[in-house]
Amino acid sequence: MKLSTEHIDSDSGHSPSDDEKRIAVGQGECDTLGHGELLPDPDAHLSPEERAAIDRKLLWKLDLRLIPWLCLLYLISFLDRTNIGNAKLDGLEKSLHITGGQYNACLSIFFVSYALFEPLTNVLLKRLRPSVFIPIIMTLWGITMVTMGLTHNFSGMMAARWFLGTAEAGLFPGINFYLSCWYKRDELGIRAAIFFSAAAVSGSFGGLLAAAIGNMAGIGGKEGWAWIFILEGLATVCIGLASFYMVYDFPDEATFLSSVDRQRVLRRLKADKQSSAEHESFKMAYFWASIKDLKTWVFAATYMGCDVPLYAFSLFLPSIIASLGYKSTTAQLLSVPPYAAAAILTITVGYIADRTHQRALCNICTSFLGMAGFAMLVAGTSPGVRYAGTFLGALGIYPCVANTIVWTSNNTEGVYKRGITMGFVIGWGNLNGVVSSNIYQATDAPLYRRGHGIVLAYLTVFLLGGSLLQYWSLRRENAKRRAGRRDHWADGKTEEEVQALGDMRPDFFYTL
């Protein structure tokens, strides 16, 4: 290992001791470590209390540098993909002379390109580096958003939505994979929940923003719905350009960390039995390992059970509330409270799941809220009951999205296998966004019972059923590993070969 000789510890501001110089790790220098080999411990001479204090300080530094900006990026992403629902209330269909079926087609085509490119994006993220890949795709989809405000017909809107899905495909799976390369498995849930809560916040913020921007109708000869796309697109371009300076690379190359802190991060991941700290070369074996793993497809089905309701809810909530008898601006504003409640519960569930390590039970319990909410929407006739149903629906959907993604990450080991698996799981869920785009038909207004019934079925069969199935299968597999019935998988293998087995190692126990 190449040794760093000139390092100033950014935490303390003092020059390092000889011991620190000897063990410091520079950018990219962990390439020379053996697979699974632990780096020297820079804090070996400290007491447990002192080590715990350093660990807390390091986590706080990571949180401040990574989480706020990533939350902003996802808030912008979700706002840009769902603001077409707000634009619809401000006259998009009438202005572009499109029918209800054509509007649904504009929603659907986004998910086709989004799902098509999602499984590939984590490989590109690893190859191009986060500080390059994420800013590029953000800038591109911001430009696409602006063109949506300049379209004059159905074909123009279809083309813009296709390219929006292509550009946005890399953000959600990319950032979830990226965070899993920084945090231990029992630390990831609350961070992913805070990150995903930005989706719920974007719903609240989107309604308020659309209500304000809609008042610009007539300025520059553009209608209010066009200004929603143009202004939000320009904001995305600006944030994308700023991301070249605000998004950092993986732990061993992160410039905001001292070499000793980089070493601490890598040791934490390795001690957590994660290969996220390893430098793997891409091999097709990782791809096949992912798609042959039954867990991948059960997680995909479970994620579909919350992702279809998520997009149905976020795309049509303004229309659902408008169907209760409220006018455009009022409907935009009434969409804010359900999202705010969902954001709070998403973070709460993330915290509980991290502490209890019971992600399946969190999914199962939360899904009942969503099922109750959509049952109220199916059966209810009064505006009060149906509006209350939107609250329970949001509470039952948003926490499960983040929790399912973290559950998938926790139980998939190996840099590329995890990235590919998360791409498949999220991509499959988003491909089913085509269903979300077509279940609420104008002919079903104002009660939309068919749409609500389909969402209720997804919550029951896939989210609840998938969570129960995965819980049972992982618990059964853990019991076999504890009983030593998988020890033969490591027979005759070197330590490096055993580490390379990832989540198929006999000593790797799944998070339930």
Side-chain angles (χ1 to χ4, degrees):
M1 190 191 323
K2 182 181 176 182
L3 303 180
S4 174
T5 57
E6 295 184 4
H7 161 65
I8 303 297
D9 191 319
S10 60
D11 288 339
S12 61
H14 68 273
S15 298
S17 66
D18 290 339
D19 287 342
E20 288 173 323
K21 290 178 182 179
R22 187 174 64 255
I23 60 178
V25 177
Q27 295 179 25
E29 291 170 4
C30 67
D31 296 50
T32 58
L33 291 172
H35 199 112
E37 180 184 341
L38 275 174
L39 291 158
D41 187 355
D43 305 314
H45 60 289
L46 301 178
S47 68
E49 293 76 15
E50 291 172 321
R51 292 164 66 93
I54 289 174
D55 200 51
R56 286 193 299 270
K57 190 173 183 180
L58 176 62
L59 268 178
W60 183 239
K61 180 187 290 187
L62 298 183
D63 290 342
L64 288 179
R65 290 290 189 136
L66 301 177
I67 304 301
W69 191 258
L70 297 180
C71 285
L72 174 64
L73 300 192
Y74 193 58
L75 186 152
I76 295 297
S77 167
F78 211 82
L79 184 66
D80 287 350
R81 78 181 65 168
T82 59
N83 59 10
I84 191 171
N86 301 109
K88 178 186 177 185
L89 287 184
D90 272 322
L92 178 145
E93 288 178 306
K94 182 179 179 181
S95 179
L96 297 185
H97 307 291
I98 61 177
T99 64
Q102 289 176 322
Y103 171 77
N104 287 343
C106 290
L107 301 184
S108 300
I109 198 169
F110 169 89
F111 294 106
V112 174
S113 59
Y114 192 92
L116 181 64
F117 291 102
E118 231 168 2
L120 308 174
T121 55
N122 281 346
V123 176
L124 290 175
L125 177 73
K126 184 71 176 172
R127 291 274 182 100
L128 295 179
R129 297 182 299 137
S131 62
V132 174
F133 179 73
I134 291 175
I136 286 176
I137 63 172
M138 280 205 70
T139 304
L140 289 176
W141 94 58
I143 293 170
T144 304
M145 277 293 302
V146 173
T147 66
M148 284 175 60
L150 304 177
T151 55
H152 300 286
N153 51 43
F154 168 65
S155 59
M157 184 60 70
M158 284 286 284
R161 291 286 294 179
W162 167 270
F163 286 110
L164 181 66
T166 302
E168 279 204 40
L171 189 75
F172 185 62
I175 289 183
N176 277 284
F177 168 61
Y178 173 73
L179 287 176
S180 74
C181 295
W182 281 93
Y183 294 100
K184 294 162 63 176
R185 287 186 289 170
D186 62 358
E187 298 167 346
L188 182 58
I190 183 63
R191 276 108 186 147
I194 292 171
F195 163 67
F196 183 72
S197 68
V201 172
S202 79
S204 300
F205 181 63
L208 295 171
L209 191 60
I213 296 176
N215 294 323
M216 294 180 62
I219 297 177
K222 295 290 181 184
E223 297 188 44
W225 66 265
W227 279 114
I228 290 174
F229 294 140
I230 293 170
L231 292 183
E232 292 179 9
L234 290 173
T236 300
V237 171
C238 293
I239 292 171
L241 294 174
S243 293
F244 280 105
Y245 303 96
M246 298 299 295
V247 174
Y248 301 96
D249 291 321
F250 293 106
D252 63 309
E253 297 176 335
T255 55
F256 73 92
L257 291 177
S258 68
S259 59
V260 172
D261 277 345
R262 284 196 292 273
Q263 185 168 342
R264 288 172 177 142
V265 173
L266 296 175
R267 279 188 58 86
R268 297 177 86 254
L269 294 173
K270 289 174 183 288
D272 195 41
K273 298 188 182 298
Q274 290 194 54
S275 298
S276 305
E278 307 286 359
H279 277 254
E280 293 180 350
S281 298
F282 178 74
K283 300 174 185 176
M284 282 302 295
Y286 301 130
F287 173 83
W288 294 116
S290 175
I291 66 170
K292 290 179 180 178
D293 192 338
L294 182 60
K295 297 195 309 295
T296 299
W297 302 109
V298 179
F299 277 130
T302 305
Y303 187 67
M304 175 177 69
C306 49
D307 216 30
V308 169
L310 168 73
Y311 285 118
F313 187 87
S314 58
L315 289 169
F316 289 97
L317 181 62
S319 296
I320 293 169
I321 294 178
S323 74
L324 303 182
Y326 299 103
K327 295 189 180 295
S328 172
T329 301
T330 304
Q332 305 275 29
L333 295 176
L334 284 176
S335 68
V336 174
Y339 285 121
I344 294 170
L345 187 61
T346 297
I347 296 172
T348 302
V349 168
Y351 177 84
I352 293 171
D354 274 355
R355 294 299 179 272
T356 64
H357 299 175
Q358 296 293 330
R359 301 201 181 279
L361 295 181
C362 286
N363 258 14
I364 291 165
C365 293
T366 308
S367 69
F368 283 112
L369 292 175
M371 291 159 59
F374 278 90
M376 292 169 66
L377 286 167
V378 169
T381 54
S382 71
V385 169
R386 292 165 62 205
Y387 187 59
T390 66
F391 269 89
L392 289 178
L395 293 174
I397 294 169
Y398 280 84
C400 292
V401 175
N403 188 56
T404 302
I405 292 302
V406 175
W407 195 17
T408 304
S409 175
N410 284 174
N411 291 313
T412 312
E413 193 46 72
V415 174
Y416 279 109
K417 183 185 178 184
R418 180 185 298 161
I420 292 166
T421 297
M422 291 177 69
F424 270 120
V425 169
I426 297 171
W428 175 247
N430 284 310
L431 181 60
N432 280 269
V434 174
V435 177
S436 307
S437 305
N438 290 281
I439 59 178
Y440 287 100
Q441 299 288 337
T443 54
D444 295 332
L447 297 179
Y448 295 109
R449 285 201 168 109
R450 177 170 57 176
H452 298 325
I454 293 172
V455 171
L456 179 58
Y458 269 85
L459 287 168
T460 305
V461 175
F462 296 108
L463 178 56
L464 177 59
S467 297
L468 287 169
L469 176 60
Q470 194 75 291
Y471 176 78
W472 174 81
S473 62
L474 294 180
R475 183 172 180 174
R476 185 167 175 265
E477 179 60 29
N478 279 351
K480 290 181 178 180
R481 295 186 182 190
R482 288 192 175 95
R485 294 167 61 185
R486 300 304 193 202
D487 290 352
H488 64 277
W489 290 351
D491 289 348
K493 291 183 171 61
T494 65
E495 178 63 25
E496 182 176 342
E497 289 171 333
V498 171
Q499 290 292 329
L501 291 173
D503 55 82
M504 301 303 289
R505 295 197 318 267
D507 64 342
F508 184 96
F509 295 101
Y510 293 117
T511 299
L512 301 180

